[in-house]
Amino acid sequence: MNERPEEPNPAPDAESLLPIDEHIEEGHDAEGRKVRHRGIYLLPNLFTTANLFAGFYSIINAMSGNFTVAAATIFVAMVLDSLDGRVARLTNTQSAFGAEYDSLSDMVAFGLAPALLAFEWALGDLRSVGLAVAFIYVAGAALRLARFNTQIGKVDKRFFIGLASPAAAGVVAGTVWAFSDFGIKGSNMSFVIALLVAAAGCLMVSNIKYYSFKDLDLKGRVPFVAILLVVLAFAVVFSDPPRILLLIFLAYAASGPVQYLLQLRRRKNDAI
């Protein structure tokens, strides 16, 4: 037999008094036998919960007109989102529950929050057109996350297929943060924001490849100068966070189409 017996049900007197069922997740051990695990891992899901709260907090601030806080909170959510997966891998606490919870949190923080932020700041003046553009972004984020979940383990991990939702959120949130910080009203550039938000939504569901940086070895030894470059990078970002972060995410968002066009040109030249 290659299947381990299921864990026995707890005695009635040991059951929780709360009307909440225990989470049971099926998996496989090192020998390939099917096993059942009760409960969830706390540490990585704490970061995911913080990511979810950051997205929720951004939405609340966008609805209240605090656009700078709402945009900055989305970038905080990005940091938290980058930590939960790494913590899970370092502590060997990956689970199917954590992966699904992470996707739902990302949908709030990088799908709903940026779309609502852009709508409240600029797209609302376009009425139905602005609503349609915001929905294009939300739908793009949802489709991007669903496709990513079905492609895990099937595509080259060095590349994302389509613009990742955190990067798309960085473009939208960075734009709002940078211009609102200058006191510019979104109503003065509604058309530009509509094009930007729609483009971000379309790039998320495109087949354009983006470098994922997942092949970087963060645990190995590096030259001493590397830490100096990291310190310099932090100093540059914190010298003017809104504008520097916007430039970084705009450059990353543009890198995919630029590489795609260069590849098309190279293929045409080879065909001649």
Side-chain angles (χ1 to χ4, degrees), residues 66 97 129 140 152 243:
N66 300 322
F97 174 88
V129 174
I152 295 178
R243 264 67 67 180

Side-chain angles (χ1 to χ4, degrees), residues 97-199:
F97 174 88
E100 296 298 328
Y101 187 30
D102 179 64
S103 292
L104 293 172
S105 299
D106 287 353
M107 184 60 208
V108 174
F110 309 129
L112 291 174
L116 183 61
L117 174 61
F119 183 83
E120 290 290 332
W121 187 63
L123 299 181
D125 293 330
L126 299 178
R127 300 186 179 181
S128 59
V129 174
L131 183 64
V133 170
F135 179 71
I136 288 174
Y137 181 90
V138 172
L143 293 170
R144 170 70 178 82
L145 290 167
R147 184 174 66 175
F148 175 78
N149 289 342
T150 59
Q151 290 178 337
I152 295 178
K154 300 179 182 178
V155 296
D156 190 346
K157 70 175 185 178
R158 295 177 302 169
F159 299 97
F160 291 130
I161 306 300
L163 182 64
S165 56
V171 172
V172 176
T175 301
V176 175
W177 190 6
F179 286 98
S180 62
D181 189 58
F182 274 138
I184 299 176
K185 294 182 178 180
S187 57
N188 296 332
M189 47 189 309
S190 298
F191 184 71
V192 175
I193 298 301
L195 292 178
L196 185 70
V197 172

Side-chain angles (χ1 to χ4, degrees), residues 41-113:
Y41 294 111
L42 181 61
L43 185 58
N45 289 313
L46 284 177
F47 286 97
T48 305
T49 302
N51 175 27
L52 177 61
F53 177 78
F56 171 75
Y57 189 71
S58 174
I59 291 174
I60 295 299
N61 278 277
M63 294 172 62
S64 301
N66 300 322
F67 302 120
T68 299
V69 175
T73 306
I74 291 176
F75 286 100
V76 173
M78 291 182 199
V79 176
L80 296 168
D81 179 60
S82 66
L83 290 176
D84 59 3
R86 285 176 172 78
V87 169
R89 288 189 291 270
L90 289 174
T91 58
N92 195 26
T93 53
Q94 304 102 312
S95 66
F97 174 88
E100 296 298 328
Y101 187 30
D102 179 64
S103 292
L104 293 172
S105 299
D106 287 353
M107 184 60 208
V108 174
F110 309 129
L112 291 174

Side-chain angles (χ1 to χ4, degrees), residues 204-218:
M204 282 190 283
V205 295
S206 70
N207 289 325
I208 296 175
K209 290 185 177 181
Y210 285 87
Y211 185 54
S212 67
F213 301 98
K214 289 187 176 182
D215 58 344
L216 295 179
D217 185 10
L218 300 179

Side-chain angles (χ1 to χ4, degrees), residues 18-35:
L18 296 175
I20 302 175
D21 289 336
E22 181 60 274
H23 174 70
I24 299 176
E25 186 173 309
E26 289 189 353
H28 294 82
D29 60 12
E31 299 176 358
R33 295 177 298 184
K34 187 180 294 185
V35 295

